[in-house]
Amino acid sequence: MKNNQIVKIFREISYLIQIAEEDPNTIYKVRAYERAADVIENLSTSIEEIYLKDGIQGLKKIPSIGNAISIKLEELVRSNKISYHEELKQKVPIKISEFSNMTGFGPKTMKILFERLGITSIAELENAASEGRISKIKGFSKTKEEKIIKTIQLSKKIKNRYLLGDVYPLIKKIENTLNEKENVIRCLVVGSFRRMKETIGDIDILISTDEPEEVIQFFVSMPEVREIKGKGKAKAFVELKNGIAVDLLVVPEESFGSAAQYFTGNKEHNISLRNLAISMDFHLNEWGLYNKKGRRIAGFTEQEIYESLQLPYIPPELRENDGEIKYFTQMRNEPLDLIEYGDLKGDLHTHSNITDGTMSISDMALHARKKFGLEYIAITDHTKSLGLANGLNENQLLNQINKIEQLNDTLSQGSFSDTVPDFRILTSAEVNILKDGSLDISSNILDKLDIVGASIHSNFSYSKDVQTNRLIKAARNPSVDILFHPTGRLINKREGYAVDIEKVIEVAIDTRTVLEINSNYNRLDLRDEHIRMAVKNDVKLVINSDAHHPVHFAYLIFGIGQARRGWAKKIDIVNRLKVDSLLKSLK
DNA sequence: GCCGTTTTCGGCCCGACTGTTTTCAGTCG
């Protein structure tokens, strides 16, 4: 039993309790399960390991885990289920996981719909809504009914599409395992995964080998595989235990490059490339590039294919048939100096446990430096109007500045190992943009900070004009260096607030305000086309993790992928600079 | 259900928005 499975069960319990139990005091029981889930989610060791080593007593040492929950964890480790959970599911047979993508739709609403209409699934909900049965219930309006239908449609659109970050670690692990296997010459995950798309429909894995049948047998027997859908001499189709479909393709080594090109896509890019080949009297398919006489002239590597078509290598993230072939045809001698995965030197959006993060400032710094090789981070805790996150007021912010100055002194005296000399913690804040676009902290305090980021955390439903003006006003504020969360979207879950990005970019040009590429794979506030628009207009960007825990620094690759998809060059990204140059570059 | 020199009970992060509840419950962060 993995920690993330435990987390899922606990969240489900907390949801079900809210429907099954009447006692008004259950809200605290609900919160206890949610807190426990949050704690377990951020645990670096597995619950199973802790239990096997130190038993119940070991579990009870974990914060927010007491008597009752530790006993349930014991049951879970021993029997893979919790009888309390099973009882709840029996009492309330609602398919909770189906509703996890529905925002604005919580357990209280679900309770009423279950009790009045017996709704337990999305399909039943959709039926009831389209038949107008929901608006007949007291407290539900036609508007609410329409909103439910709209939300279902949004959640349907994403059916079978996975967030890149949700599958990334598992797929990389499978790729590594296959690459290490003898008989496998090369293995590469291709398709939208390789293009670093925000969401992934299925996974395509490419392998070159001289022993195709043996490699295919090895692949379909991997522990991650749940079901073999099909298996032949050169292909296999499986479903993994997490539900995602994987196609495995086996090609001879001399065709690996052409197959990688062919299966990385996208489709339109490939069509353009094949047309280009035809115009040069060639023929291109997944087995190679052929001349008029049918002789293979390229295919071993992708570089070979592109070179033979008189193009420089086009990075996978750009292969969307969105002008890249034309660009690279014309700019052959002027390479696009894209931001690379190892280029970032710092992270300008991180949280500590002083607000809603989970680790101390020094722990965040230590991990950033030792595990991720960064040279600086900005601690951007929330400010006072974000009450739930314990937002800082002016005095607390001043205290934090002092604390960080002391920590920087300690760091410079060498208490950290010397892998990255001169690590620096920058003083900062994620300042809240209020209704009218003003900030919740006065400028005389903000001006004492190294960097100021501003973001919208409330009033999401204002009109486009109002919302855009809030962001513009914040950008025009001389104290604000960066606009965090420029769109506020949650991929597949929430559209984000209505905002005219073009206008925001115009103001960012004038005011030299930096826009954030938020690397959290659920967010990626700026879409690739927004990034491209910013880059075209010479607006600077920053790639931040928004880390609430040190493991979240790993999200930076998704921000870099997004930046590359938006054609961002090294010079467009401010946190590829060393800290002194960075601070000089800000307004 | 967790927590604790206010210990074995009585608290528990909370402000703002939304909708249709004319005074507040549900949801979000």
Side-chain angles (χ1 to χ4, degrees), chain A residues 455-466:
Chain A
S455 36
I456 285 177
H457 280 106
S458 58
N459 310 80
F460 277 24
S461 58
Y462 282 1
S463 72
K464 195 168 189 174
D465 279 352
V466 176

Side-chain angles (χ1 to χ4, degrees), chain A residues 185-347:
Chain A
I185 305 170
R186 279 190 280 176
C187 171
L188 184 70
V189 180
V190 287
S192 49
F193 183 91
R194 184 164 177 233
R195 300 202 310 280
M196 294 294 276
K197 286 274 283 183
E198 296 162 0
T199 61
I200 306 291
D202 64 1
I203 298 288
D204 299 302
I205 302 180
L206 185 66
I207 282 181
S208 60
T209 175
D210 296 328
E211 304 280 346
E213 285 173 56
E214 195 206 315
V215 170
I216 285 175
Q217 189 51 44
F218 176 81
F219 171 70
V220 298
S221 315
M222 284 177 82
E224 291 84 359
V225 172
R226 174 161 68 199
E227 194 188 338
I228 302 168
K229 300 267 186 192
K231 184 160 78 90
K233 281 184 182 153
K235 286 181 180 178
F237 312 109
V238 303
E239 188 180 301
L240 298 187
K241 283 177 180 158
N242 65 5
I244 197 163
V246 180
D247 295 358
L248 182 79
L249 307 146
V250 179
V251 296
E253 172 65 4
E254 68 265 22
S255 293
F256 192 85
S258 45
Q261 197 288 311
Y262 186 90
F263 289 107
T264 298
N266 68 4
K267 192 173 157 196
E268 287 73 23
H269 173 90
N270 290 348
I271 291 171
S272 292
L273 214 59
R274 289 199 289 271
N275 282 331
L276 182 65
I278 291 168
S279 75
M280 298 165 79
D281 258 353
F282 292 137
H283 175 76
L284 176 65
N285 62 26
E286 64 264 52
W287 306 105
L289 181 69
Y290 301 85
N291 68 11
K292 225 176 172 179
K293 290 175 181 164
R295 196 170 67 86
R296 232 171 61 108
I297 55 171
F300 196 80
T301 65
E302 286 186 316
Q303 279 84 349
E304 235 176 58
I305 301 277
Y306 284 105
E307 265 168 36
S308 305
L309 297 170
Q310 299 187 12
L311 286 166
Y313 176 74
I314 300 180
E317 297 90 335
L318 268 49
R319 300 183 197 169
E320 299 279 340
N321 199 38
D322 200 8
E324 72 277 8
I325 293 176
K326 192 175 168 202
Y327 176 90
F328 282 94
T329 309
Q330 291 168 353
M331 311 293 269
R332 240 180 306 155
N333 299 316
E334 201 180 317
L336 190 64
D337 198 14
L338 280 192
I339 186 81
E340 295 290 335
Y341 288 93
D343 277 349
L344 299 187
K345 297 203 170 59
D347 188 339

Side-chain angles (χ1 to χ4, degrees), chain A residues 417-437:
Chain A
S417 82
D418 54 3
T419 46
V420 183
D422 304 321
F423 189 86
R424 180 148 166 213
I425 306 168
L426 298 169
T427 58
S428 187
E430 180 173 3
V431 185
N432 225 4
I433 300 174
L434 301 173
K435 272 186 187 178
D436 64 349

Side-chain angles (χ1 to χ4, degrees), chain A residues 352-355 359-365 379 381 392 395-411 424-428 449-450:
Chain A
S352 80
N353 58 6
I354 295 171
T355 60
M359 286 260 191
S360 67
I361 295 175
S362 57
D363 279 341
M364 291 297 283
I379 298 289
D381 278 325
L392 306 175
N395 272 333
Q396 291 167 318
L397 205 48
L398 290 174
N399 285 338
Q400 182 146 319
I401 294 175
N402 284 331
K403 188 177 173 182
I404 287 175
E405 278 168 1
Q406 283 169 19
L407 269 171
N408 276 326
D409 285 344
T410 324
L411 296 192
R424 180 148 166 213
I425 306 168
L426 298 169
T427 58
S428 187
L449 297 167
D450 291 321

Side-chain angles (χ1 to χ4, degrees), chain A residues 101 155-163 167 199-203 239 242-245 492:
Chain A
N101 280 328
S155 76
K156 262 194 184 168
K157 248 199 289 183
I158 57 104
K159 213 178 171 192
N160 297 328
R161 283 203 77 84
Y162 293 75
L163 295 186
V167 296
T199 61
I200 306 291
D202 64 1
I203 298 288
E239 188 180 301
N242 65 5
I244 197 163
N492 289 345

